[in-house]
Amino acid sequence: MQEKDKKDWQPKILAILCNWCSYAGADLAGVSRIQYPPNIRVLRVPCSGRVDPMFIMKSLQNGFDGVLVSGCHPGDCHYLSGNYNARRKFAVLKPLLEYIGIETERVQFSWVSAGEGERFAEVVTKVTNDIRKVGPAKRLVKGVVSW
Amino acid sequence: MKNTYIPIPMKVDKIVTEDPEKTLRTYDLNFVNKSDLEKFQYLPGQFCEMSLLGMGESPFGIASSPTEEGFLRFTINRTGLVTNEIHNLREGDAVGIRGPLGNWYPVEDFKGENVVIVGGGFAFTTLRSLLVYLLAHRDDYGEITMIYGARNPDLFIYKNELEAWLKRTDMKLHLTIDNAVDGWQHHVGFVPAVTEELAPSAEKAWVVVCGPPIMIKYTLPVIEKLKFPDERIITSLERRMKCGIGKCGRCNIGSQYVCIDGPVFSLAQLKTIPDAL
Amino acid sequence: MIKIEKSNFGTFIQNLSADYSLFAPVGEGQQSAFREVKNAEQINTHIQITQNSPKTVFLPQTEVLFEFSGDDIQSEEKPAKPMFFWGVRSCDAKSLNLLDKVMGQSKQRPDDPAFQDPYWKARFDDAIILTLACNEPASTCFCNWTGGSPFSKDAGDLWAVETETAYLVEPLSEKGEAFVKGLSGYDTASEKDKQSIAKLKKQAESYLQPAVDAETLKEKLPQTWEDPLWDEVSAKCVNCSACAFICPTCYCFDIQDEGKKDKGKRIRTWDCCMFPIFTKEASGHNPRSLARERVRQRVMHKFRYFWEIYGESLCTGCGRCVRVCPVNLDIREVAKQLLEADSAA
Amino acid sequence: MVKALREEVKRLFEEKKVDLVIGWGKGSLPMTATPIFINKAEDAERLIWDETCSNNLAVYLTKDKRQLVKTDQKIGIVVKGCDGRSLVLYAVENQIQRENLVIIGVPCAGVIDKKKVLKHIEGKEVLSASFEADRMTVEGRGFKTEIAKCDVLSDSCLNCNHPNAPVFDVFIGEPRKSDSVEDVYPDVEAFEKLDSEARWKTMVEAYSKCIRCYACRNVCPSCYCTECFVDQNDPQWIGKSPEITDTLIFHLGRNLHVAGRCVECGACERACPADIDLLKLNRKISKEILERFNFTAGLDINEKPALASFCENEKQDFIMG
């Protein structure tokens, strides 16, 4: 990739949000007109427990530069324990992806409640900035794999 | 030489929804290039691989008859990835086909003889092709009898044509449904039972059976009882296919490849193939 | 028969690689395969048999059938230069001929080019195969079961024997004839060389185990169809496709689309009759849903079905599957068990 | 040892405690054992137990192989430590009826990885092999070599703390004292120290060799889904070709599906015809799970797998603060 392209490059980030907390948090950020980078595409899921690690790996393979998964704070899950189960999955997935050499910034997790519009904006800003720093995804991207 | 894996470009000309559930649709396809139309020579019983770029290919029996010029007809049941996508097509959309593939019903051998056609469900497609072909060359053939069954009246395909065929005097069409419903004026009962009841004569006759495996399984003994010789009992097999040209291996049964040695087989042939039925 | 001194081998290979895409055995053990080489140093000249057969070049595990963009379809069949294969064992040379019967030709529609595989033909028809006699067959080799032998001249365009100091080469086909004519500056093999061939041949053949007659097996197989022996032989099979993917004559493939509707490619990629989904239909029905049926299919296809169509076995006895099977399901043992089985006719 | 095993199995048949015994028999190649299924006392003579018995036989109790095992049939199964752990996993996951199973434990000092032997002798063909306590001798045409057994042990055996089945009905000989390896994952730690680019490069190089034969999955006792995610086609999760990202995602997906369930028997690695260090990723996951959740798969019949349970207050340092 050339320098020039790099300047114009905008990261594409998939935000997988749970229906009950983080999606509502994003909604609140919106109606409160809180500014955050426009780089995320939102995928709404019933619960962070619904997030199959395959979703995350497939997103990277199909060209997303990063994935953010956000759910209810521990103890707040609409389904009582969905986010606890999710947390265990992520606890394995994250170091595993790092281990094979996927930049740690690319896949991030957060808890954002329905009332935390401000926090949602902060999370998205941080993730976007992190991914900007590491640049366009090239590993695990189908057709673009590079060393 | 043209690459045989590259599909022939076609356009969807007409779509007919066959059943109220909208799981069966009939597609008339036109050739985009006239030269392809001229080259496409087929006979009833053959099939094509229909191709949607980016989605894949699926094999379908040709429901039109070579005597109907200018288009190809396919009736497609919505079951999987490709068929789902085909059901999303609209008139005017582009599709591809590869074919004609496979062998055909032995219409030459039928000449001067009686033909009994037994069909069930939406596997009726190539039987339609056969019937239209026979009717177009009506003088070449003896009596034509057709028994066609469906679970309920809604599930018959080509309903308009069925109406017309019922009225014809130069053929006999018997329709049957599994369970009686109000207003139904034809047979009631499974295809094997109705076939047994009608007992078409095996004298100078051929029988073509096509339908779901379970129907074939129970119809063949009935037909054998009617004294049709195995060589004159014709059926069309279905197997999972990919290449359609006898290479990729998945439709292999015994030493035969359903896609190139079949799909049309006589019972005599099938009896030599382990586990074909 | 011409003689290429080993001292000249480097130059010979160098010249060859200028005119052809030159493929030869490369690498050791599990990594060994036929790969394109530019010079003699890259070639593994002492290998008994490569783990990956030359099939992987003619029918690659995955290849693009065509790429599409909108309605536009582009395909590429022809390799830039014709291929020359150095050091193919006779079993593998034979396997290419067997594959050609399926891929390059069509028994059912011999005259219709629509039933020939254009990608296979583009590679195989112009390729020159040099069959290198097998001086030291491995203990897993059983080419003698199905009509082969370490020094067989039945397949290939050229035939060569490695002696202590040289490679002795003779043509087997018209293509080979023309190739040899195009060579200059090489001696003709002497009487003494020919004697050493006879000696090597005798020694090589002595390494092989006694043959089981594949033709008897072929006759026997239909009787075994319902035999409970199939349960026994298939019991340990885990239904992976290591045997098939490593087999020089397994050709089954799948066709898949990758990419999106408006831009992507149609690829083909090896598939295997050991996988349950290989034959699973959209309705959910599977004609070969049991492991026993799939193992039986594979054995029957190699030793019976192919024979019914083409008059010979589809197994060339290279022994790769024997070596690679994770549960040591040895096809030779299966064949012997089937032959000994007391199956009712 | 082998004699005791045969005697024991014979006794089990004679006392009608088993209808079928799954064990290892002599294979058709040197250094190779093969799974055997015996259904009568006299066939017990075919059983062997040595360092070549590398298959994890638990696999035959699940998958397609369920057809081998009829309901109410009493099955005896010979198990090493890791195979025994698979049986514990099966019990936890309700895949077996414990009461129908006679677990025959054998003490394991590690099995050899044939591929390592072949590398040791540079790809030459082994025609015969013999084993002594800590050495093996391999012979072929024109060579005879002695190899230290520790050089050719399967990777999975190098840091193994579980040489005996955790649960058994009969044990042949004395359970082997565990070596109590403290540092179980030195290989993982070493790899973690490389920089991200080097790790990625290693992965791409390793997994580019994959031919997608699924031998790893099919010999894996923890992989017993009736339909694997790679075989699903609507939606199709993974492209079927050995394209590197599809291949990697297949392996990662499989690794994650066996996370907290993998008993690290190494069957995948030994089965791989492409010689990929498949266990590397499984071991990374096992290490994480051990460190975070203090859990090791297949040891306790009453403990749920790590990813099927949770604690409310556990470390969540990987989640944004």
Side-chain angles (χ1 to χ4, degrees), chain B residues 27-197:
Chain B
Y27 296 81
D28 284 358
L29 309 181
N30 286 348
F31 288 86
V32 171
N33 304 315
K34 202 158 171 265
S35 57
D36 290 333
L37 167 68
E38 281 155 11
K39 266 186 277 172
F40 197 93
Q41 302 292 332
Y42 70 104
L43 283 169
Q46 289 195 279
F47 70 97
C48 286
E49 285 280 346
M50 197 185 284
S51 157
L52 285 181
L53 294 180
M55 299 307 297
E57 293 183 319
S58 272
F60 302 105
I62 307 175
S64 51
S65 157
T67 53
E68 304 169 293
E69 270 170 39
F71 72 97
L72 294 179
R73 178 171 294 171
F74 299 93
T75 297
I76 291 158
N77 184 30
R78 186 179 200 141
T79 45
L81 199 65
V82 177
T83 48
N84 239 327
E85 208 51 38
I86 291 175
H87 270 243
N88 291 336
L89 288 174
R90 298 201 187 153
E91 287 171 4
D93 281 353
V95 291
I97 57 157
R98 289 197 292 120
L101 302 169
N103 65 352
W104 46 87
Y105 297 121
V107 286
E108 283 302 309
D109 298 341
F110 292 176
K111 277 194 175 153
E113 314 227 327
N114 302 333
V115 183
V116 180
I117 302 172
V118 184
F122 60 87
F124 188 67
T125 52
T126 56
L127 295 183
R128 180 208 174 266
S129 172
L130 175 63
L131 181 65
V132 172
Y133 182 89
L134 296 181
L135 291 176
H137 301 100
R138 189 63 194 89
D139 296 344
D140 292 348
Y141 301 95
E143 282 176 30
I144 299 175
T145 312
M146 179 175 238
I147 301 164
Y148 177 21
R151 256 178 296 150
N152 61 58
D154 283 340
L155 291 177
F156 284 104
I157 51 178
Y158 317 132
K159 293 187 188 74
N160 292 340
E161 285 181 316
L162 293 179
E163 287 294 324
W165 291 332
L166 279 168
K167 286 185 193 124
R168 285 182 79 127
T169 52
D170 58 350
M171 66 165 283
K172 277 195 214 104
L173 171 60
H174 304 276
L175 298 178
T176 179
I177 55 173
D178 291 0
N179 295 301
V181 294
D182 284 346
W184 179 251
Q185 292 166 353
H186 307 279
H187 299 267
V188 174
F190 295 125
V191 168
V194 173
T195 311
E196 194 161 15
E197 184 192 319

Side-chain angles (χ1 to χ4, degrees), chain C residues 52-71:
Chain C
N52 295 298
S53 76
K55 168 184 91 171
T56 55
V57 180
F58 291 100
L59 180 62
Q61 175 151 19
T62 298
E63 71 181 308
V64 176
L65 293 179
F66 55 80
E67 301 198 19
F68 55 86
S69 173
D71 289 342

Side-chain angles (χ1 to χ4, degrees), chain C residues 260-279:
Chain C
K260 301 193 182 78
K261 276 191 227 171
D262 51 345
K263 197 169 168 43
K265 53 195 173 185
R266 182 159 291 168
I267 61 165
R268 77 158 150 216
T269 181
W270 294 346
D271 209 335
C272 172
C273 59
M274 287 291 120
F275 298 148
I277 52 157
F278 184 63
T279 47

Side-chain angles (χ1 to χ4, degrees), chain D residues 74-318:
Chain D
K74 294 269 184 198
I75 298 165
I77 180 166
V78 189
V79 291
K80 309 185 284 283
C82 41
D83 313 354
R85 287 171 65 194
S86 292
L87 297 182
V88 170
L89 178 82
Y90 287 172
V92 173
E93 296 182 344
N94 295 320
Q95 295 301 312
I96 52 168
Q97 284 171 296
R98 178 65 185 88
E99 63 277 15
N100 283 349
L101 214 57
V102 179
I103 304 177
I104 306 162
V106 284
C108 177
V111 294
I112 58 147
D113 185 343
K114 263 199 309 186
K115 289 183 264 184
K116 285 194 180 177
V117 178
L118 294 182
K119 269 181 222 162
H120 220 271
I121 53 171
E122 293 166 331
K124 288 195 279 265
E125 196 190 16
V126 177
L127 295 175
S128 74
S130 59
F131 295 91
E132 281 133 87
D134 54 353
R135 283 168 302 137
M136 70 179 294
T137 311
V138 289
E139 260 182 273
R141 267 173 224 142
F143 74 94
K144 182 172 181 177
T145 315
E146 272 202 0
I147 308 173
K149 224 195 269 173
C150 60
D151 287 345
V152 291
L153 276 189
S154 175
D155 281 349
S156 58
C157 303
L158 293 176
N159 303 293
C160 174
N161 264 334
H162 308 283
N164 314 301
V167 177
F168 52 82
D169 299 299
V170 223
F171 205 92
I172 310 296
E174 282 300 305
R176 194 183 145 83
K177 274 215 191 75
S178 158
D179 296 333
S180 317
V181 180
E182 287 216 352
D183 190 7
V184 185
Y185 297 107
D187 49 333
V188 178
E189 279 150 26
F191 192 70
E192 280 167 350
K193 289 203 182 86
L194 300 177
D195 67 40
S196 142
E197 194 170 327
R199 292 199 302 268
W200 174 249
K201 195 174 168 205
T202 312
M203 286 295 151
V204 172
E205 264 172 19
Y207 285 88
S208 299
K209 297 186 287 189
C210 176
I211 59 169
R212 297 288 288 275
C213 70
Y214 304 129
C216 50
R217 175 192 71 185
N218 293 12
V219 298
C220 174
S222 302
C223 262
Y224 56 72
C225 290
T226 36
E227 190 178 55
C228 178
F229 70 103
V230 259
D231 291 340
Q232 291 174 341
N233 67 350
D234 198 6
Q236 181 166 351
W237 291 104
I238 313 277
K240 274 187 111 178
S241 75
E243 191 269 344
I244 182 64
T245 63
D246 281 326
T247 299
L248 264 172
I249 293 176
F250 155 62
H251 286 285
L252 292 169
R254 200 181 87 77
N255 294 139
L256 287 162
H257 286 179
V258 299
R261 305 170 57 246
C262 170
V263 297
E264 294 164 72
C265 63
C268 49
E269 198 165 292
R270 292 188 296 270
C272 180
D275 197 17
I276 305 171
D277 301 334
L278 291 166
L279 208 53
K280 204 177 205 143
L281 294 180
N282 294 109
R283 285 171 60 77
K284 165 68 181 171
I285 293 176
S286 298
K287 173 173 173 275
E288 286 298 318
I289 287 177
L290 181 66
E291 283 170 2
R292 281 183 180 273
F293 314 127
N294 193 26
F295 176 87
T296 303
L299 294 183
D300 185 346
I301 217 152
N302 297 310
E303 201 177 2
K304 275 188 173 180
L307 266 67
S309 56
F310 60 86
C311 290
E312 287 177 13
N313 303 309
E314 61 195 19
K315 217 166 92 181
Q316 50 172 7
D317 49 323
F318 55 92

Side-chain angles (χ1 to χ4, degrees), chain C residues 317-335:
Chain C
C318 71
R320 287 185 175 90
C321 56
V322 177
R323 252 165 295 152
V324 95
C325 179
V327 294
N328 187 229
L329 178 60
D330 189 326
I331 189 92
R332 299 171 301 175
E333 312 263 304
V334 174

Side-chain angles (χ1 to χ4, degrees), chain A residues 27-80:
Chain A
D27 202 29
L28 180 64
V31 294
S32 317
R33 299 177 178 241
I34 305 168
Q35 295 282 321
Y36 62 82
N39 299 69
I40 60 164
R41 313 283 188 278
V42 175
L43 174 68
R44 177 160 65 155
V45 288
C47 173
S48 51
R50 172 67 184 92
V51 180
D52 187 328
M54 198 58 70
F55 296 177
I56 296 169
M57 293 188 288
K58 288 297 283 182
S59 310
L60 292 174
Q61 187 192 23
N62 288 334
F64 276 104
D65 298 301
V67 180
L68 163 70
V69 181
S70 189
C72 308
H73 284 279
D76 293 349
C77 177
H78 185 79
Y79 308 98
L80 307 178

